[in-house]
Amino acid sequence: MIRVSDLNPAQPIRKVIVYSLAPMLYQISIEDELGEHLLYTEDNSPYRSTCIERVKELFEPFTVESMVLRQQSAYDEMIGHPNKQTDNTLEVMLSPTRAAH
């Protein structure tokens, strides 16, 4: 488990993954050499945001090698298609800097 307070500005972050859970609901994972780790708040609940710009603001003090937005579509499930062998994950590169900066 990685909490926001565990992040060290002196240590670069390999990859920040912003999961799009629903419209305007995002959850964060940090990727390192050991894999992906969900980011938690100090009260041990998963860090969530309703704004990507707030996520970028959170990571401003850190050196982030890459930041991506990741979404898995529920389209096939919603229209009754059978499970597919292929992954339908969409991953889009994000700039780690906020739009206003």
Side-chain angles (χ1 to χ4, degrees):
M1 175 185 320
I2 296 178
R3 290 184 194 86
V4 173
S5 63
D6 295 336
L7 299 174
N8 179 354
Q11 185 175 5
I13 298 172
R14 178 184 289 175
K15 187 175 188 178
V16 173
I17 303 150
V18 181
Y19 285 94
S20 177
L21 302 178
M24 295 185 63
L25 180 60
Y26 306 100
Q27 195 165 305
I28 312 302
S29 283
I30 304 292
E31 183 181 280
D32 63 15
E33 61 278 349
L34 301 175
E36 288 184 23
H37 310 280
L38 192 59
L39 186 63
Y40 288 86
T41 62
E42 301 316 305
D43 64 357
N44 295 329
S45 60
Y47 178 89
R48 290 192 176 175
S49 179
T50 57
C51 177
I52 290 180
E53 293 300 306
R54 297 278 185 262
V55 173
K56 291 179 177 185
E57 183 178 359
L58 174 69
F59 288 98
E60 277 183 346
F62 306 96
T63 301
V64 176
E65 293 176 15
S66 72
M67 182 179 284
V68 297
L69 175 68
R70 188 179 286 175
Q71 180 181 24
Q72 293 177 313
S73 174
Y75 177 77
D76 289 330
E77 180 182 336
M78 290 178 352
I79 64 169
H81 280 180
N83 290 339
K84 294 182 180 179
Q85 298 298 326
T86 58
D87 185 18
N88 70 351
T89 300
L90 171 68
E91 190 170 288
V92 178
M93 294 295 295
L94 295 174
S95 167
T97 58
R98 292 187 290 157
H101 292 95

